[in-house]
Amino acid sequence: MRSIETIPDLFHSFQTKNDEALVYHNGFRTFRYTYRELHERVLKCAALYAARGLSEGDKVVLWGVNSPEWVISFAALSHIGAIAVPLDFQTTPEAAEKIVRHAGATFVVKARSRSPFLTDYPTLFLDDLEEDLGPFAALPIKSSVTEDSVLEIVYTSGSTGDPKGVVLTHKNVLTNAKSVRSLLSLSQDDMALSVLPLSHMLEQTCGLIVPLLAGMRVYYAVALTPSSILRALRHEPITLMIVVPHVVHSLRDRIQSRIRAAHLAPFFDVLLRLVHHLPLSLRKKILFPVTNKFGSRFRYFVSGGAPLLPEDDQFWSALGFPILQGYGLTECAPVLSAEVSLSHRPQSVGHAVYGVELHVAPDGEILARGGNVFSGYYQNEEATHEVFREGWFCTGDLGEIDADGTLFIRGRKKELIVTSAGKKVYPSDIEAVLNRSKGVRESCAVGIPEGGGERIVAAVIMEGVVDLRAVLKEANQHLDSSQHITDLIAWPESALPKTPTLKLKRSAVRQALMSRKNETEGTDSAPSRVIQLIAQVTGKEPTKIHSAQFLVRDCGLDSLARLELVALLEQELHCDISEDDITDDTKVKDLESHVETRARSRHLFEYPFWPHHARLRWVRTLCMESLYMLLPRLLVKRTIRGIENLETIKTPVLFAANHVSHLDQPTIYCSLPRAHRHTLSTVGWLDAYELQSGWRTILNPLKVALYCFAATTTGLVLLSPRASHKRSMEHVGRLIDQGESVLVFPEGDRTTSSELLPFKQGTALMAKSLAIPIVPIGTRGLERVFPRSRILPRPGRVYVSIGKPIHPGSKSLDEITEELKEAIENLKAE
Amino acid sequence: MSIGIDMVRIERVRELLSDPAVAGRVFSSDEFVENIASMAGKFAAKEAIFKARGTRSDWLDFKILKRASGEPYVATAMPIDIKISISHEGEYAIAIALIETV
């Protein structure tokens, strides 16, 4: 086998590999790709790009969320020698325009939801990729890509100034990935949960290329709220996560508020301290109620991008989930050093990884050299010149390397505060103290010029109503006299300004604080974060919003503002919230307590899944085989046509049939081959079964029991019009994930005439959301055997015709519905 | 039979769409088009449907799509028939929804 020197080499090694590579949850169901399938799609995609006129050296913007389509597009670009320009999905349209122009990109590959933006360029949509690949063949590609070819230009804002494009070659990325791969113990049984954007080099190298080198799996999910992370951990054998510190921090926050809510906090704290000396596996067992939330296989976190809080480090390692900390920069693709031993030294970022040379300059700046270090910023010689000194890359970070080569980070070079007493102060030291104070969410310390030196001023983001004076006093107690904070200010926005890689923009904070120097000192108790956010979306003064006010009536929260608020609460405070949580009767304080207690979002409707669980499938099979299979013997003579149409398709599918009688489902069941009928569920609407009042209410225990009985014995799935479409599809998606096919009656109700009722769009919507083919089935004869008007059935002949599958693809809902109706009409007439 | 109407400033919808997380809460992938005024019309249509029904639900429960003829229609899994009409002029988009059976 040839050695892997370029991304195409890496993918070439996948062509005969049948292990699973990527797992993707699209919000409804799970899709799985083996290494071979991935390779095939990449080749097809490369052919698609070539057909769109793209060739070597073209710059292509990639603007979407993490998904197999992103990975396929990225790899395909590398195959034809085109240069990817990955954009953070959260990039504002204005910034995106600026980057596209600077990079000179000529083509855009983006998510459909970005359709209204970057409209002046030829475009492909990631959402339609699977469909677009259809006509192309997976032929080997002859390209002149070498290890020194440019793979991508990654735009970083750095901490100051305009975006800079970091030019990375295949060699930069692969050298780094191989070094990291050799550090971590990874096998094909491992699965990484992807939570960082692929436009971030930490995720791209450590979260994608390293797993691909190791032959393991990567799990992608569309939505990444704390609860969806926990759901993924529960359902898939995830063993590690690549994170930035705020991810582990908010997960810890969540666990601790749950424990507080259960009044177990003191007990838990003692337990955490006690287990510290026990082996990892034993800790996990003792703390089972918490650790089992991470599934049985979870092993460790890999953290980078920003310094980790020591408290988070201690908390997770006490739980038995150590955090391996690394240090790096986009310019270095990105890892420079990493901590590999589980009993690492606090606050260190480990040793230089293989192939990287580290050196600390006399002024304290960390310098780096190695195959992973980039060659320069795209069309910005000045900036490039600034960061290279005699062949060394100047990181701009300050640090120390001790005798055994362990690196410690001490802050950023330019953000050093020099006090009037000539003392040098690292802002990160002050922030570390502030961040530990109760009620402080994040902080930023800067130096404001005064009397020949600088005085230290800090901006903080508070959680809840906290007395700033007390925070200041407490923090100064923990600081050297030279480090004392002279002024503490509540930052007026919901978060401190940060770069896309979540580094503090200290210069922006500094500028803002300097301009408000003359204003009165803002050390009064700050409005709560929730009120700040409400103020932000409604445009009101935070001081005019009080806890007792109604959100809609008093704060003027209209539907657009409500949407923005919910999104902000989710993004900024990482809480689980839906628009259902804000009604006309919601007061500001209700929302504050929702955030405070990290409550789960109130879902109006939950579907019970247990009756459908694969483990109970035998009950259903037993009941249906013994009961339904009597039908053809006793009552119905059947003529089955079109069974060969099922041979070519793999389960699961959506069967759609006309509906005339209660015997439709049993008759179709009997007519399907064993493989299909043993995994058949039937979807109906709750209303049709007169359960409108909602079967979760205590008033209806009988109906609930009846539902669960019917579900367990006949595979009946009832969807409620009260639940959102999303929830209903998630429910059906889980069935599909466990290999179930689904039978639906698109007419919605039994007909009394021989004509079909108008088709509802539900079937087409379901097929599209779940991306499964529809197999039309037409039955004739049951309208005489057991019509709606009869109490008892009578014997007769029934014709069951199975049609060819209809693939939803990019057809419109109307087209699918029309095609289905026509198909069933024809089959019925056969 | 019930009706609902809603008007929205197109610029506000542009702002809303510039945050992908918010955009994804309101519209599903197949509803997105390049034209912001059309997106604003779709937003107004969803709001009008909520008003006609007298209750809010998930934004994604109702998809506002266009036939080849350009005529807008509502796609929903719910057993209700909804007719809509959308228009925009200058800074505003407006939509009206009519529900025949609830």
PDB file of all heavy atoms in Angstrom, chain A residues 35-46:
ATOM      1  N   TYR A  35     -16.724   3.074   4.952  1.00  0.00           N
ATOM      2  CA  TYR A  35     -15.576   3.716   4.324  1.00  0.00           C
ATOM      3  C   TYR A  35     -15.656   3.589   2.798  1.00  0.00           C
ATOM      4  O   TYR A  35     -15.350   4.518   2.069  1.00  0.00           O
ATOM      5  CB  TYR A  35     -14.272   3.084   4.846  1.00  0.00           C
ATOM      6  CG  TYR A  35     -13.836   3.701   6.151  1.00  0.00           C
ATOM      7  CD1 TYR A  35     -14.286   3.208   7.367  1.00  0.00           C
ATOM      8  CD2 TYR A  35     -12.984   4.797   6.158  1.00  0.00           C
ATOM      9  CE1 TYR A  35     -13.886   3.789   8.559  1.00  0.00           C
ATOM     10  CE2 TYR A  35     -12.589   5.392   7.345  1.00  0.00           C
ATOM     11  CZ  TYR A  35     -13.038   4.880   8.549  1.00  0.00           C
ATOM     12  OH  TYR A  35     -12.654   5.478   9.722  1.00  0.00           O
ATOM     13  N   ARG A  36     -16.087   2.406   2.329  1.00  0.00           N
ATOM     14  CA  ARG A  36     -16.160   2.200   0.887  1.00  0.00           C
ATOM     15  C   ARG A  36     -17.219   3.129   0.262  1.00  0.00           C
ATOM     16  O   ARG A  36     -16.978   3.757  -0.760  1.00  0.00           O
ATOM     17  CB  ARG A  36     -16.499   0.732   0.594  1.00  0.00           C
ATOM     18  CG  ARG A  36     -16.250   0.309  -0.835  1.00  0.00           C
ATOM     19  CD  ARG A  36     -16.345  -1.208  -0.957  1.00  0.00           C
ATOM     20  NE  ARG A  36     -17.601  -1.709  -0.419  1.00  0.00           N
ATOM     21  CZ  ARG A  36     -18.760  -1.717  -1.088  1.00  0.00           C
ATOM     22  NH1 ARG A  36     -18.797  -1.260  -2.311  1.00  0.00           N
ATOM     23  NH2 ARG A  36     -19.853  -2.181  -0.529  1.00  0.00           N
ATOM     24  N   GLU A  37     -18.371   3.219   0.918  1.00  0.00           N
ATOM     25  CA  GLU A  37     -19.435   4.103   0.405  1.00  0.00           C
ATOM     26  C   GLU A  37     -18.975   5.557   0.380  1.00  0.00           C
ATOM     27  O   GLU A  37     -19.275   6.311  -0.550  1.00  0.00           O
ATOM     28  CB  GLU A  37     -20.692   3.979   1.271  1.00  0.00           C
ATOM     29  CG  GLU A  37     -21.438   2.682   1.058  1.00  0.00           C
ATOM     30  CD  GLU A  37     -22.486   2.419   2.139  1.00  0.00           C
ATOM     31  OE1 GLU A  37     -22.389   2.984   3.245  1.00  0.00           O
ATOM     32  OE2 GLU A  37     -23.394   1.631   1.861  1.00  0.00           O
ATOM     33  N   LEU A  38     -18.236   5.920   1.423  1.00  0.00           N
ATOM     34  CA  LEU A  38     -17.722   7.286   1.499  1.00  0.00           C
ATOM     35  C   LEU A  38     -16.792   7.550   0.308  1.00  0.00           C
ATOM     36  O   LEU A  38     -16.903   8.566  -0.376  1.00  0.00           O
ATOM     37  CB  LEU A  38     -16.972   7.449   2.823  1.00  0.00           C
ATOM     38  CG  LEU A  38     -16.588   8.856   3.242  1.00  0.00           C
ATOM     39  CD1 LEU A  38     -17.824   9.697   3.441  1.00  0.00           C
ATOM     40  CD2 LEU A  38     -15.776   8.822   4.534  1.00  0.00           C
ATOM     41  N   HIS A  39     -15.898   6.602   0.062  1.00  0.00           N
ATOM     42  CA  HIS A  39     -14.938   6.727  -1.032  1.00  0.00           C
ATOM     43  C   HIS A  39     -15.677   6.867  -2.373  1.00  0.00           C
ATOM     44  O   HIS A  39     -15.363   7.738  -3.185  1.00  0.00           O
ATOM     45  CB  HIS A  39     -14.030   5.499  -1.040  1.00  0.00           C
ATOM     46  CG  HIS A  39     -13.084   5.455  -2.199  1.00  0.00           C
ATOM     47  ND1 HIS A  39     -12.077   6.369  -2.366  1.00  0.00           N
ATOM     48  CD2 HIS A  39     -12.993   4.613  -3.253  1.00  0.00           C
ATOM     49  CE1 HIS A  39     -11.408   6.099  -3.467  1.00  0.00           C
ATOM     50  NE2 HIS A  39     -11.949   5.029  -4.035  1.00  0.00           N
ATOM     51  N   GLU A  40     -16.691   6.019  -2.572  1.00  0.00           N
ATOM     52  CA  GLU A  40     -17.465   6.059  -3.815  1.00  0.00           C
ATOM     53  C   GLU A  40     -18.111   7.426  -4.023  1.00  0.00           C
ATOM     54  O   GLU A  40     -18.064   8.003  -5.099  1.00  0.00           O
ATOM     55  CB  GLU A  40     -18.592   5.031  -3.756  1.00  0.00           C
ATOM     56  CG  GLU A  40     -18.253   3.713  -4.381  1.00  0.00           C
ATOM     57  CD  GLU A  40     -19.360   2.702  -4.098  1.00  0.00           C
ATOM     58  OE1 GLU A  40     -20.551   3.109  -3.962  1.00  0.00           O
ATOM     59  OE2 GLU A  40     -19.012   1.532  -3.978  1.00  0.00           O
ATOM     60  N   ARG A  41     -18.713   7.918  -2.954  1.00  0.00           N
ATOM     61  CA  ARG A  41     -19.392   9.208  -3.066  1.00  0.00           C
ATOM     62  C   ARG A  41     -18.409  10.336  -3.342  1.00  0.00           C
ATOM     63  O   ARG A  41     -18.723  11.275  -4.065  1.00  0.00           O
ATOM     64  CB  ARG A  41     -20.192   9.495  -1.806  1.00  0.00           C
ATOM     65  CG  ARG A  41     -21.517   8.755  -1.808  1.00  0.00           C
ATOM     66  CD  ARG A  41     -22.267   9.007  -0.520  1.00  0.00           C
ATOM     67  NE  ARG A  41     -23.593   8.423  -0.530  1.00  0.00           N
ATOM     68  CZ  ARG A  41     -23.848   7.127  -0.378  1.00  0.00           C
ATOM     69  NH1 ARG A  41     -22.846   6.277  -0.237  1.00  0.00           N
ATOM     70  NH2 ARG A  41     -25.081   6.671  -0.386  1.00  0.00           N
ATOM     71  N   VAL A  42     -17.244  10.255  -2.726  1.00  0.00           N
ATOM     72  CA  VAL A  42     -16.237  11.292  -2.958  1.00  0.00           C
ATOM     73  C   VAL A  42     -15.835  11.304  -4.438  1.00  0.00           C
ATOM     74  O   VAL A  42     -15.741  12.367  -5.054  1.00  0.00           O
ATOM     75  CB  VAL A  42     -15.011  11.093  -2.041  1.00  0.00           C
ATOM     76  CG1 VAL A  42     -13.868  11.998  -2.460  1.00  0.00           C
ATOM     77  CG2 VAL A  42     -15.395  11.369  -0.596  1.00  0.00           C
ATOM     78  N   LEU A  43     -15.641  10.119  -5.016  1.00  0.00           N
ATOM     79  CA  LEU A  43     -15.265  10.060  -6.429  1.00  0.00           C
ATOM     80  C   LEU A  43     -16.378  10.619  -7.313  1.00  0.00           C
ATOM     81  O   LEU A  43     -16.128  11.379  -8.251  1.00  0.00           O
ATOM     82  CB  LEU A  43     -14.945   8.619  -6.836  1.00  0.00           C
ATOM     83  CG  LEU A  43     -13.667   8.018  -6.235  1.00  0.00           C
ATOM     84  CD1 LEU A  43     -13.445   6.616  -6.759  1.00  0.00           C
ATOM     85  CD2 LEU A  43     -12.454   8.896  -6.510  1.00  0.00           C
ATOM     86  N   LYS A  44     -17.632  10.239  -6.981  1.00  0.00           N
ATOM     87  CA  LYS A  44     -18.769  10.760  -7.759  1.00  0.00           C
ATOM     88  C   LYS A  44     -18.842  12.276  -7.630  1.00  0.00           C
ATOM     89  O   LYS A  44     -19.107  12.990  -8.600  1.00  0.00           O
ATOM     90  CB  LYS A  44     -20.083  10.168  -7.243  1.00  0.00           C
ATOM     91  CG  LYS A  44     -20.310   8.736  -7.651  1.00  0.00           C
ATOM     92  CD  LYS A  44     -21.650   8.300  -7.108  1.00  0.00           C
ATOM     93  CE  LYS A  44     -21.962   6.869  -7.475  1.00  0.00           C
ATOM     94  NZ  LYS A  44     -23.295   6.478  -7.009  1.00  0.00           N
ATOM     95  N   CYS A  45     -18.621  12.758  -6.412  1.00  0.00           N
ATOM     96  CA  CYS A  45     -18.732  14.189  -6.159  1.00  0.00           C
ATOM     97  C   CYS A  45     -17.631  14.934  -6.910  1.00  0.00           C
ATOM     98  O   CYS A  45     -17.871  16.022  -7.447  1.00  0.00           O
ATOM     99  CB  CYS A  45     -18.656  14.444  -4.658  1.00  0.00           C
ATOM    100  SG  CYS A  45     -19.016  16.123  -4.207  1.00  0.00           S
ATOM    101  N   ALA A  46     -16.444  14.334  -6.963  1.00  0.00           N
ATOM    102  CA  ALA A  46     -15.358  14.958  -7.718  1.00  0.00           C
ATOM    103  C   ALA A  46     -15.751  15.069  -9.194  1.00  0.00           C
ATOM    104  O   ALA A  46     -15.494  16.088  -9.840  1.00  0.00           O
ATOM    105  CB  ALA A  46     -14.078  14.147  -7.557  1.00  0.00           C
TER     106      ALA A  46
END
